[in-house]
Every structure is written in structure tokens, then in C-alpha cells.
Amino acid sequence: MKLTIERAALLRALGHVQSVVERRNTIPILSNLKLDAADGRLALNATDMDLDIVETVAAEIAAKGATTAPAHTLYDIVRKLPEGSQVEIAADGKGQMVLSSGRSRFKLACLPTEDFPVLAGGKLAHEFTLAADELRNLIDKTKFAISTEETRYYLNGIYLHAAERDGARVLRAVATDGHRLASVEVPLPKGAAGIPGVIVPRKTVGELRKLIEETTDDIAVGLSETKIRFSFNDAVLTSKLIDGTFPDYQRVIPTGNDKKLEIDTKLFAEAVDRVSAISSEKSRAVKLTLGNKSLVLSASSPDAGSATEELEVSYQGGDMDIGFNAGYLLDITRQIAGDTTRLMLADAASPTIFSEVDDAGALYVLMPMRV
Amino acid sequence: MNGREDAAPPPPRNNPALVGHQAAERALFDSLRSGRLAHAWLISGPEGIGKATLAYRFARFVLAGGGNGAAGDSLYLSPDHPVFRRVAAGGHSDLITAERVVTDDGRLRGEIVVPDIRAVVRFFKLTAGEGGWRVAIIDGADTMNPNAANALLKVLEEPPANSLLLLVAHNPGRLLPTIRSRCRKLALKPLAEEQVTALLAGYLPELASTDTAALAHLADGSPGRALALAAEGGLELYRDMSDILETLPDLDVQALHAFGTRFGRAGAEQAFRTAGDLIRWWLARTIVVAAGGPESGPRLAVGEAALIGRLARAAGLDRWLEVWEKINRLLGRTETASLDRKQVVLNVFLAIEGAVRP
């Protein structure tokens, strides 16, 4: 293998893939990246055996070939090379790779590519495309609700599946940690009709979100019972899935909540933030006192004192008190892009639905707290 | 064996060869073929006879899609096979292994701890990366501490589909009964002495053939033990030990002290363990003779059989069993209670002297 590549291009690709590689690895091959040079392109492959990213960059290939080299060392070296320089990489296939640029020369120990994990291969049963915006939307609005509790591993990801709402077929992403639930949907893309419901692990969600930050192109999604693959621009991310059954979340989305409250999202969020300054560190409870056209937020703690703030709202459901975790309220209001937030309430002990007035595709369910 | 150049045997992860254990291999193979493979196996047997080698061999075979009508009837997979390569390098996404690890300060941990097992549990919560089986090998399952063992129980109780757990243990009695009861048992037997001799000759061709034979005999059918003995100068140790015992019933105290001092030094843990094993083994032979059994031992030292016969007659069977109990307890506690190793060795020999003296 012998190739020349611009430092900036290489650094950018390395930056994308190297974060997947664990810093502390007892198994040498898992600290390495696979480099594969062919047909004017260099493919960089990183994996932690649960997910796998391949990014390709244009390079001048003098001799085809592949090898694996330590990911973090490689990234460090390229990062420290002067801007605008050209990097030459040559591997002899005998366990050594030489990287040179200007007057710098590095010799790195390599491992054979046969030892490198294979995760990306194979055709997946279902394929469809999503606009980058749609995918970002699905991830951003649900990610916060993913559970981190390992005992409920089937909640440690986003549940992606085909569903139906009001006769329209949708692709829906759901995440919950038992206290709150987020459900966001986009129109069902062509080819996604028969997909199995899959749970995409939290780490994959995080890595994917980083990678698609600037993407404008459509994203091709491949899916099977055991794997999911996202392809866009020059990168392909393949991941294992969580092997579990996502709970029947429909049952926790209340249907009979009839008390409607509409409120300015921004004012509400700010008020919650202010009032919660006083609530005790651990529970962070905020009480909502609903009256005719008014909402009083209050919090009190035996040590710190108390706080109240009154807001004007549109509400005609009769007086009631309900408590929520302020952190959870803020998490939800942060997802709501529209000016007006709608709350559908039943009583002080029942879950409340939060949604955007202009966007019926996203809804959040929040369990109340006793206050 | 196969004319390999390097002397040291490859670790089980990279070892394509398995000597003996045909019946066990057959049992695994048939179970896989039948389509009703037990999800957990407890592979037990003495140390160093190839339990882990068999486990890795089976794991590779399963991961390579063996059993799906593949040809052949052994679990062998060529070292050039892509799955073999990835397993050997630790780069197979559907295989996870847990064993005692070397900690940051360079010491081998005495037990498998809970984070190691949690990684295994997490592994089974994700789907297979290559689409087939997911395999976990717990090498030295009997060294799991109670927390680690309990963490594993959950997976053993409700294993996901297409998952396989291979527990390797030379001391299965130490496992939690709840773990044992959830595994299909596969007990491996020691190898025949000829097999060990042949293996040893392959790995250590420079050894004199009499030494090879003696080691093979001392090792009780375990090539791993034979190699360990060879590496630690076990034969020499054994001869020195015999020389001291020869002086019974009045032990040569000076020689005994010199012998014991060896083990008192820092870094002599392994040598001490080997000496302990040898003493136990020697005592066992004496007990067999005291019970009227035949004498069977290597002729490492002149007049050894005579010595054993003489000692066996010097005290009754019950007395020897008492000594056995005492010595076993002492050796077992040395590490946990941080006893002085030299003192332990002296005590062991004095206990034997006490039994023999009229």
C-alpha cells in the first residue's frame, strides 16, 4: 500500500472515526484502524465491535493495499502535522507502516487486516432513505429520554419502527426511561413499510448524530433484525442493535386527557428554570397550580425557602395542582421548537402529554411527581 | 506434534490442535448438529489438559457457521480461516471472553470480578455483529467471585436466542450450585501419558527423553502441568525433595532449611505452588501404598520406591490421612492468610516427620 493524501482531508476523516475506538484496549487489534487503499480512495474503518464506521476520502493511490494501524497514535500524528501539508503513507505488508510528511517520518506497527473485526459486511433486508433533517429531528427530539439504567437494557436506545397515526403511515422513533417518553415521527419513507421494530443503542445514536451534524444529503438506511446501517456522504455507520423487546409504549400514552393548557414555550421554560432554583437539589420538584387562565409555578424547600411565579395561559379545565421534575420539564421544552406548547392533563396523579401546537408528529409524556 | 518451530504452546485462543478429548468433541458436535444445542456448557477437568482449547475450538466452529451441514465431523477449523484469525486476534465481534486479568500494577488478579462479567452480560444484550451465534467463554469460571457469579446468573437463566456460554473450570465444585445446575456438564479426562509425552517432546525437543517421560508422569495426564513443571525446574525440585525425604525418620534439618529458604524469597510464589503440588502428589502415592495399593511412580531418584514403601509402613493409613488433611489445609491457607512460605514448607516436612517417627 502506498498513497499520498492531503493532511486536512485525512485529519477530517480520522476525526470522525477515531472516537469510536476505545482509548483503553487490552486487545491490540481493537486499538487499530483499518486503512484500505484502492481506486483513488482511502477507506478508514474504525470499530468497537458494537458499531463500525467506514469513511472514505480521496487520495492518490500509488499501490493498492490494506493494513491496520493504531487509531489514536495516527490521529495524534496527523493532528500535529503542519497545516496544508501532504501526507505519504506506505505499508510493506510486513507489520510496519511508514507515514511521512515534509521532514517528519513515523514508523508505526501494524497488524494484519485479517485480524480486524468484520461488522459492516452483508446485505440488509430493508432499505430506505431519509432526509438528513428528518433523521436529525428523530434523534434530537428523542435522545434525551433514553434510559441509562442497565438493568432495563431494552430502554437504552431509540425504538425505530413503522406505525400508523390517523390513517397515515409513519416512521416513528420512541425513547423512554420510565419517567418520561418522547415519540417523534416522520412520514414513512418508501421501502420502510415492512421493517422490523429495532432498538438503536445509545452509543450508536450519539456517534451517528455527531457524524450527520453537517450532512445535507439524503441518508440511506439499511436495516435487518440484527443490524442497522446509515450511509451518507462518504461515511457508512453499521451497528449492532439491542436484542430485546421494547415495551408497548402506546399504553402509557394517555388518550383520555381532556384538560387542555396552552402556554408560550419560552416564557414557560424560563419560569420553570427560575422557580426550580429554589427546589431541593435531588428531587427538583416544581408545582403547577392551574386556575382559570392562570398558571402558578411554585417550589419550596425546607432549607432554601420558596418561590412562585405566575404565568398567563389559555386554560379552562378547572382548578388543579400537579407537580413535575423541573429538569424533565426543561428537557421537554428544549425539544419544542414552536412558540406554543400544549399540555393535555387529566389529574394530579396521571401522566401529562406535552406537544407542539403546530407539530402533531412529536409528543412527550411526563409522569407527575407528588408535591 | 506438527513440527512447529516455537517451543511454547500457543494459548487456547490460537491453538488449532487438540489432543485427545474425542468423546467430548463428539458430544459438542452432535449437540450442535441436532439443532438443540444447550446454551451453557460447563467444561471441567484437571488443569492444563485442554479445556479452554476445546472451548475455543468449539466457539470457532460455531462462529464459522459449522453445524449447518458443513462437511467433516470434527470441530477443527484451519488457522487460515478468517474466523480463526479474528478469534485468535480478539477481533471477532460475536465472541467475548472473560478470565482473570492482569491488573495495572502487573499482577494477575486472583478472581474474575464483576465488571468483567457485566461486559459479558452487556454483550448478550446486543444483537450478533456477524449475524450468527454469540459466544462467551469464561475461562476459569470457578475463579469468579460471588458478585461476578451472580451477575452471570441472569444470562444463564434467560439466555437470548442463538447464544452460547462456555464455562471452563478445573474446580467446578467451587461454582455456585445455581450456576452449575444451569449448565450441561462436560467432564474432560486427563490425557494418556503417551499423549503428554508426545506433546512435551514436540514443545520441548531439547529435553532429555528420560526427563520428558518423568515430567509426563509427574503431570498426571496434563500437558499444561508438565510444561509448567518443566518451566519451573519441577524435576529438580522433586529430586531435592526426595533427597530430603530420604533422610527420614530424622530429617536433615540443614538441608531442609536450605530447601525452605528458596520459597521464602519474593517472587517465589509459583515455585512454592509447584512444590506444594509435588508434595501433595508424593503424599498421595504414599497413601495409596499405605492403603495396600500398588506403587506407581517415576524413577527420578534411586530407591524412591523403596523410600515410599518404607514410609508407608512406618505409619498407618489413618495417620497418613491426618497428615494429608493438615498439609492440604496449610498449603491452601498460605496465600489467603499470607503465611510465611518458608515456615509452611518446614511445617509440612515436620508434619511428615512426626508421622513417621516411632
Side-chain angles (χ1 to χ4, degrees):
Chain A
M1 184 176 88
K2 194 170 159 69
L3 62 103
T4 314
I5 186 169
E6 245 180 84
R7 177 223 176 225
L10 182 58
L11 182 63
R12 192 169 165 277
L14 280 174
H16 284 160
V17 300
Q18 58 92 25
S19 67
V20 173
V21 180
E22 308 265 358
R23 286 237 162 232
R24 278 171 57 93
N25 251 322
T26 46
I27 302 172
I29 190 73
L30 297 184
S31 323
N32 278 16
L33 282 181
K34 185 165 124 190
L35 298 102
D36 194 343
D39 307 325
R41 309 193 66 73
L42 170 67
L44 300 160
N45 185 353
T47 181
D48 68 351
M49 297 225 277
D50 292 338
L51 77 117
D52 172 292
I53 298 179
V54 183
E55 180 143 342
T56 34
V57 278
E60 219 174 279
I61 311 290
K64 287 206 294 191
T67 188
T68 76
H72 296 296
T73 315
L74 197 59
Y75 180 61
D76 264 1
I77 291 172
V78 176
R79 202 161 45 90
K80 289 170 183 169
L81 290 175
E83 247 174 76
S85 55
Q86 294 281 317
V87 182
E88 201 183 289
I89 296 175
D92 54 3
K94 291 195 200 85
Q96 201 170 67
M97 181 175 103
V98 178
L99 185 151
S100 40
S101 173
R103 292 185 178 183
S104 320
R105 208 172 130 81
F106 300 88
K107 278 187 187 167
L108 296 175
C110 299
L111 288 169
T113 50
E114 287 85 355
D115 296 356
F116 198 78
V118 178
L119 206 65
K123 197 175 149 41
L124 303 179
H126 305 273
E127 282 176 356
F128 55 91
T129 56
L130 276 174
D133 273 341
E134 288 179 320
L135 185 57
R136 274 196 291 265
N137 193 40
L138 287 176
I139 294 176
D140 289 347
K141 293 191 167 176
T142 50
K143 202 171 81 174
F144 73 97
I146 298 176
S147 167
T148 52
E149 212 181 304
E150 286 213 8
T151 47
R152 294 208 269 177
Y153 63 93
Y154 45 82
L155 297 183
N156 296 164
I158 293 179
Y159 180 50
L160 205 61
H161 61 299
E164 209 177 282
R165 186 172 56 86
D166 304 335
R169 309 220 56 195
V170 294
L171 177 70
R172 188 178 290 162
V174 179
T176 179
D177 64 0
H179 304 286
R180 60 248 171 98
L181 176 145
S183 162
V184 177
E185 59 201 31
V186 296
L188 193 72
K190 203 163 152 265
I195 62 164
V198 297
I199 310 170
V200 186
R202 186 175 55 234
K203 182 169 178 186
T204 305
V205 171
E207 290 294 335
L208 174 66
R209 184 62 188 84
K210 264 195 280 174
L211 284 174
I212 60 171
E213 181 64 45
E214 289 149 20
T215 308
T216 48
D217 303 356
D218 281 357
I219 290 164
V221 184
L223 195 66
S224 76
E225 299 274 357
T226 57
K227 268 196 271 195
I228 191 160
R229 177 186 301 151
F230 300 91
S231 325
F232 44 91
N233 297 357
D234 299 318
V236 179
L237 183 153
T238 313
S239 168
K240 290 183 179 179
L241 297 165
I242 291 177
D243 189 10
T245 312
F246 200 79
D248 182 9
Y249 67 92
Q250 298 278 16
R251 284 191 316 161
V252 302
I253 301 179
T255 49
N257 287 11
D258 52 357
K259 297 178 179 168
K260 186 164 87 181
L261 181 149
E262 284 182 1
I263 190 166
D264 184 294
T265 312
K266 191 156 165 278
L267 293 179
F268 179 58
E270 286 171 358
V272 169
D273 201 15
R274 275 192 292 272
V275 169
S276 69
I278 209 90
S279 56
S280 60
E281 204 59 33
K282 211 166 158 212
S283 66
R284 303 243 290 144
V286 167
K287 185 160 96 172
L288 280 63
T289 307
L290 280 60
N292 197 13
K293 294 209 170 172
S294 87
L295 167 67
V296 177
L297 296 169
S298 59
S300 68
S301 109
D303 313 324
S306 65
T308 57
E309 179 155 348
E310 195 172 342
L311 288 167
E312 210 168 287
V313 294
S314 98
Y315 175 70
Q316 283 153 342
D319 295 354
M320 74 180 265
D321 287 350
I322 188 165
F324 292 110
N325 179 314
Y328 290 169
L329 277 179
L330 290 173
D331 274 344
I332 289 175
T333 51
R334 233 172 267 141
Q335 315 311 324
I336 294 177
D339 290 338
T340 313
T341 300
R342 176 184 293 153
L343 278 69
M344 297 299 293
L345 302 116
D347 56 61
S350 307
T352 297
I353 301 177
F354 291 71
S355 59
E356 232 169 277
V357 169
D358 324 312
D359 181 5
L363 68 85
Y364 310 93
V365 179
L366 185 57
M367 294 302 291
M369 282 175 86
R370 239 182 264 280
V371 282
Chain B
M1 215 172 108
N2 50 2
R4 292 162 38 92
E5 299 293 341
D6 45 338
R13 188 183 271 282
N14 316 22
N15 194 349
L18 180 76
V19 175
H21 309 312
Q22 279 85 3
E25 200 173 355
R26 189 80 232 171
L28 288 168
F29 185 83
D30 289 343
S31 177
L32 179 64
R33 259 301 155 74
S34 74
R36 288 191 307 274
L37 182 64
H39 70 275
W41 293 74
L42 175 58
I43 305 177
S44 61
E47 250 178 310
I49 57 166
K51 300 187 296 296
T53 305
L54 176 65
Y56 276 102
R57 189 179 171 91
F58 187 47
R60 281 192 296 261
F61 186 73
V62 168
L63 289 172
N68 296 338
D73 61 350
S74 94
L75 300 175
Y76 176 77
L77 200 64
S78 155
D80 300 323
H81 193 286
V83 169
F84 190 105
R85 293 292 301 266
R86 289 204 289 277
V87 167
H92 200 294
S93 59
D94 294 336
L95 172 72
I96 191 160
T97 54
E99 55 192 14
R100 292 185 299 149
V101 292
V102 176
T103 52
D104 289 339
D105 54 6
R107 289 199 337 197
L108 184 66
R109 205 176 261 150
E111 50 192 22
I112 297 177
V113 291
V114 92
D116 301 337
I117 295 301
R118 291 223 174 102
V120 174
V121 175
R122 256 198 308 275
F123 167 81
F124 282 112
K125 303 299 184 210
L126 289 176
T127 52
E130 298 189 18
W133 287 81
R134 284 164 285 174
V135 184
I137 296 178
I138 316 232
D139 194 358
D142 44 356
T143 62
M144 283 192 289
N145 70 20
N147 295 340
N150 282 316
L152 187 67
L153 262 183
K154 189 78 186 155
V155 179
L156 277 177
E157 277 165 1
E158 294 170 4
N162 284 342
S163 56
L164 175 65
L165 283 120
L166 301 172
L167 274 61
V168 176
H170 60 262
N171 208 345
R174 278 181 55 187
L175 282 166
L176 290 181
T178 37
I179 287 191
R180 250 177 298 145
S181 68
R182 281 168 179 82
C183 298
R184 182 163 160 190
K185 282 146 203 90
L186 192 65
L188 303 193
K189 290 188 185 66
L191 299 185
E193 206 166 313
E194 306 83 70
Q195 287 171 318
V196 181
T197 313
L199 274 171
L200 269 182
Y203 287 131
L204 304 170
E206 71 283 358
L207 217 62
S209 65
T210 47
D211 281 1
T212 309
L215 278 171
H217 190 90
L218 268 181
D220 267 340
S222 159
R225 206 166 114 84
L227 284 165
L229 279 174
E232 292 149 18
L235 281 180
E236 193 203 337
L237 212 69
Y238 185 79
R239 288 196 183 103
D240 293 349
M241 210 179 81
S242 301
D243 286 348
I244 293 174
L245 290 171
E246 192 66 49
T247 64
L248 280 171
D250 292 302
L251 279 176
D252 177 349
V253 178
Q254 232 166 1
L256 179 56
H257 269 272
F259 184 71
T261 309
R262 281 198 215 173
F263 307 103
R265 296 193 199 107
E269 291 89 353
Q270 195 53 48
F272 174 77
R273 229 167 285 149
T274 309
D277 284 349
L278 290 173
I279 291 171
R280 283 199 192 102
W281 189 77
W282 184 89
L283 255 185
R285 275 166 68 196
T286 309
I287 290 173
V288 169
V289 175
E295 213 297 297
S296 67
R299 303 292 172 260
L300 299 180
V302 186
E304 201 182 295
L307 168 67
I308 286 185
R310 180 160 65 86
L311 295 184
R313 280 187 302 277
L317 180 60
D318 52 340
R319 190 80 185 90
W320 277 119
L321 285 173
E322 253 172 57
V323 174
W324 167 265
E325 285 273 320
K326 182 173 176 187
I327 290 178
N328 242 340
R329 205 167 40 237
L330 199 58
L331 291 172
R333 284 185 50 196
T334 309
E335 222 158 312
T336 45
S338 292
L339 300 181
D340 178 42
R341 288 191 291 268
K342 180 182 172 182
Q343 284 304 328
V344 172
V345 172
L346 296 186
N347 270 326
V348 165
F349 280 89
L350 290 176
I352 296 173
E353 189 185 35
V356 176
R357 271 198 169 149

